[in-house]
Amino acid sequence: MPDELLPETDRGHLDWPGETYGQSALGVPLRLFLPDSGQARLLVFAAIHGNEPDSTVVLSAALRAARRDRLRAAVVLCANPDGALLGLRANARGVDLNRNFPTRDWGKLPPGELSPGASAGSEPETRALIALVERLRPEAVISIHSDLACVDDPGPSALGKWLSERSGLPLVPDVGYATPGSFGTWCKERALPVVTYELEQDGCQRLRLRHAPIFARVLRGESG
């Protein structure tokens, strides 16, 4: 029987500062939370789109509930802090970070889309996340988004199935449209399994109550 999660009354703050793995375009530190061992088989990150702050709310609540000494995953609460602070999908330079990764299809966007950047990997947030993945060498990654209400896992993997079963979100092989230059495409080209967890449309607090307990188990290595 797994240990209980940290009580709600004890989740008011993060009890350790984490570390910096880079800086945003505006100089905001990009923060990483690691197990005390410094190693993790799984990387979980949120808010690569700044206008999806609900993903950070859910992941932060999960991290605070999981107990530091039980943490088994690497966690990035907000991969696009400038966008989150400014209420932008893009970063402060107007670049959609989830179209900025150096993939074979980078830049092949339909008219009307946000900029994929001046070049592949042009943005500091993108480069920092790439360097982090290369440093950690995780066995899998979960990227939390909103609000398509699905678990996107082209595998499908045991992790994707577990997340779908626990959340009730449908397991799908893709989101139904092309995502050139995306983190998921970059991972696929490197044979790195990635699950994109899309929250449903709802208020942040309801999403927190529904999904944070699931991710707390994920962060503690209890997702199968």
Side-chain angles (χ1 to χ4, degrees):
M1 185 76 175
D3 293 344
E4 289 301 315
L5 301 178
L6 198 66
E8 185 78 28
T9 53
D10 295 334
R11 302 179 196 174
H13 68 288
L14 285 168
D15 64 355
W16 80 106
E19 63 180 78
T20 300
Y21 72 93
Q23 286 192 333
S24 71
L26 294 182
V28 176
L30 301 170
R31 305 298 294 171
L32 168 70
F33 297 89
L34 277 173
D36 290 338
S37 67
Q39 300 178 332
R41 297 169 58 187
L42 179 68
L43 169 64
V44 185
F45 72 88
I48 197 168
H49 288 139
N51 65 345
E52 298 174 2
D54 42 0
S55 63
T56 294
V57 169
V58 166
L59 187 54
S60 173
L63 180 61
R64 286 179 282 119
R67 297 181 184 269
R68 179 177 176 177
D69 62 342
R70 292 294 308 277
L71 184 66
R72 297 294 180 269
V75 178
V76 172
L77 295 179
C78 186
N80 180 9
D82 294 351
L85 289 168
L86 296 171
L88 305 172
R89 181 176 180 83
N91 73 349
R93 294 175 176 170
V95 174
D96 185 338
L97 297 177
N98 207 33
R99 300 294 182 271
N100 185 237
F101 285 83
T103 61
R104 289 190 289 270
D105 61 359
W106 173 82
K108 297 178 181 179
L109 290 171
E113 295 284 334
L114 290 172
S115 170
S119 61
S122 61
E123 303 310 296
E125 299 93 341
T126 307
R127 294 194 299 272
L129 190 55
I130 288 173
L132 179 61
V133 171
E134 292 175 343
R135 167 191 155 192
L136 296 177
R137 298 188 179 279
E139 295 178 7
V141 182
I142 301 174
S143 175
I144 308 177
H145 286 255
S146 63
D147 46 12
L148 298 181
C150 63
V151 176
D152 171 15
D153 182 9
S157 63
L159 176 60
K161 292 176 181 176
W162 187 93
L163 288 168
S164 175
E165 289 170 359
R166 296 308 184 282
S167 66
L169 296 172
L171 185 64
V172 299
D174 57 63
V175 293
Y177 54 85
T179 57
S182 69
F183 177 80
T185 301
W186 181 80
C187 288
K188 182 179 180 180
E189 291 180 359
R190 283 151 185 79
L192 173 59
V194 58
V195 176
T196 303
Y197 191 98
E198 290 272 357
L199 302 169
E200 68 271 27
Q201 284 189 344
D202 207 342
C204 275
Q205 297 311 316
R206 285 189 292 272
L207 291 171
R208 174 182 66 84
L209 291 172
R210 190 175 305 131
H211 297 280
I214 297 170
F215 275 97
R217 302 293 181 191
V218 169
L219 299 187
R220 288 155 53 109
E222 297 169 11
S223 53

